[in-house]
Amino acid sequence: MLHALLRALRPQRFWKTLLARGCASDGAAGGPEIQVRGLEGPDQGITEILMNRPRARNALGNIFVGELLDALARLREDRQVRVLIFRSGVKGVFCADADLKEREQMSEAEVVVFVQRLRGMMNEIEPGIQTKEGDSRKAVPGLSSPSPHSQHPADPTTFPDGKTNSQDNIAAFPAPTIAAVDGFALGGGLELALACDLRVAASSAVMGLIETTRGLLPGAGGTQRLPRCLGVALAKELIFTDRRLSGTQAQALGLVNHTVDQNEEGNAAYHRARALAQEILPQAPIAVRLGKVAIDRGMEVDIASGMAIEGMCYAQNIPTQDRLEGMAAFREKRPPKFVGE
């Protein structure tokens, strides 16, 4: 466990600048289904992933998932990304579940691979299941065990396109992530939002894990993230009953951080998410990233282990220039200028 923690907390390598801000595809709308945009001016440091598959209401299909994986792989290497916002380019929809029409054409084996790939895109999963202390065996396909301790699984699953589930996922993205839910977020769409650190929703948004009404169960992290977010009994009720929540109801339950009245353009949640990102921008980026690691790792272990993780993260931050800058700015009574080093 100690070695895994050290791997997870080791200093980030110097990241290469993201050269390509878009991913090519033959999407249903004739262009890329995933578009990436880095904001400029006072919003520099905020990057947006725009989901744009209008004919399928941003359903999670093969091309969509492949482009999103490519975008995440590139962005995690970009040192300029301090906050990542997931938003929709399709009015009234965030992400309307998996592409069941596409999945209907798959064989059972192909379904297993695709769902495992989808799960790996959203969550840190490790294919080895611990059966007892010191005994690890290969997981049954589709039953990979999540590990809170390793960002680099020793034996990552490799998919037919050559991609692995080791790091190119939303939950392990190093910078804070925000889901701007301006419409329907159902099934896999809600699971995508749950994989983000923060969620903002329009009051008119509709959210739910609706898989049971289709003869399925949540397969991309919903059965694990929803109870951690809302509690076991409430999560069970929502999944068992196919319950759908409005943005207002979701905030009352703690499923989203903020809710706002929808505007005529249908992007009120995006504007609130952007305002939230602007609050994060001035903070020391290394401290923010290490705080994310400490919280995410610590929530999966007992409090004593969590305290040890916090201590390791704190130790990682001590040698940074940003820590010295923060103390100097406090002493000199001026705003700090953090550079992420």
Side-chain angles (χ1 to χ4, degrees), residues 182 200-204 251 258-263 267-270 272:
D182 268 308
V200 177
S203 57
S204 58
Q251 186 192 25
H258 304 279
T259 186
V260 290
D261 291 334
Q262 189 57 282
N263 57 27
N267 60 3
Y270 161 66
R272 183 64 184 88

Side-chain angles (χ1 to χ4, degrees), residues 40-96:
E40 298 177 351
D43 289 335
Q44 185 174 356
I46 300 174
T47 297
E48 301 173 356
I49 285 185
L50 181 74
M51 300 177 290
N52 190 38
R53 195 186 178 200
R55 296 181 189 176
R57 295 165 60 83
N58 287 344
L60 297 164
N62 263 313
I63 293 176
F64 186 102
V65 171
E67 291 183 7
L68 185 48
L69 280 167
D70 287 342
L72 290 168
R74 297 181 196 181
L75 288 171
R76 71 178 297 113
E77 301 298 325
D78 187 353
R79 190 178 182 184
Q80 303 304 314
V81 179
R82 294 196 180 187
V83 187
L84 182 61
I85 297 176
F86 289 81
R87 60 176 300 208
S88 172
V90 182
K91 189 173 182 179
V93 177
F94 177 72
C95 177

Side-chain angles (χ1 to χ4, degrees), residues 7 19 55 87 89 113 137 145 152 181 194 204 208 221 298 300:
R7 281 202 308 272
L19 298 177
R55 296 181 189 176
R87 60 176 300 208
V113 170
R137 59 180 173 81
S145 176
H152 299 271
V181 183
L194 283 167
S204 58
E300 300 299 329

Side-chain angles (χ1 to χ4, degrees), residues 29-237:
E33 297 180 4
I34 297 296
Q35 300 169 18
V36 180
R37 181 170 73 119
L39 304 188
E40 298 177 351
D43 289 335
Q44 185 174 356
I46 300 174
T47 297
E48 301 173 356
I49 285 185
L50 181 74
M51 300 177 290
N52 190 38
R53 195 186 178 200
R55 296 181 189 176
R57 295 165 60 83
N58 287 344
L60 297 164
N62 263 313
I63 293 176
F64 186 102
V65 171
E67 291 183 7
L68 185 48
L69 280 167
D70 287 342
L72 290 168
R74 297 181 196 181
L75 288 171
R76 71 178 297 113
E77 301 298 325
D78 187 353
R79 190 178 182 184
Q80 303 304 314
V81 179
R82 294 196 180 187
V83 187
L84 182 61
I85 297 176
F86 289 81
R87 60 176 300 208
S88 172
V90 182
K91 189 173 182 179
V93 177
F94 177 72
C95 177
D97 205 357
D99 189 336
L100 297 184
K101 291 182 180 178
E102 182 179 272
R103 191 176 297 182
E104 194 175 18
Q105 307 304 314
M106 297 179 183
S107 67
E108 289 186 7
E110 289 171 334
V111 170
V112 169
V113 170
F114 178 76
V115 173
Q116 190 174 5
R117 185 186 191 208
L118 196 60
R119 187 181 303 119
M121 180 186 74
M122 299 186 189
N123 312 284
E124 287 187 84
I125 60 175
E126 192 169 341
I129 294 180
Q130 292 295 124
T131 54
K132 59 183 179 180
E133 187 174 359
D135 178 21
S136 179
R137 59 180 173 81
K138 281 290 183 182
V140 177
L143 294 179
S144 296
S145 176
S147 170
H149 309 302
S150 176
Q151 284 190 336
H152 299 271
D155 183 18
T157 300
T158 300
F159 298 105
D161 60 2
K163 293 184 174 62
T164 68
N165 65 355
S166 59
Q167 276 204 7
D168 298 334
N169 60 72
I170 297 168
F173 194 81
T177 54
I178 306 175
V181 183
D182 268 308
F184 285 89
L186 302 174
L190 179 55
E191 288 175 308
L192 192 158
L194 283 167
C196 293
D197 297 310
L198 307 171
R199 288 165 292 281
V200 177
S203 57
S204 58
V206 179
M207 287 165 275
L209 295 178
I210 61 171
E211 287 85 350
T212 55
T213 195
R214 296 170 181 170
L216 304 168
L217 72 153
T223 64
Q224 303 306 305
R225 293 192 180 279
L226 195 64
R228 284 168 168 78
C229 183
L230 301 183
V232 173
L234 183 53
K236 285 180 176 178
E237 179 178 340

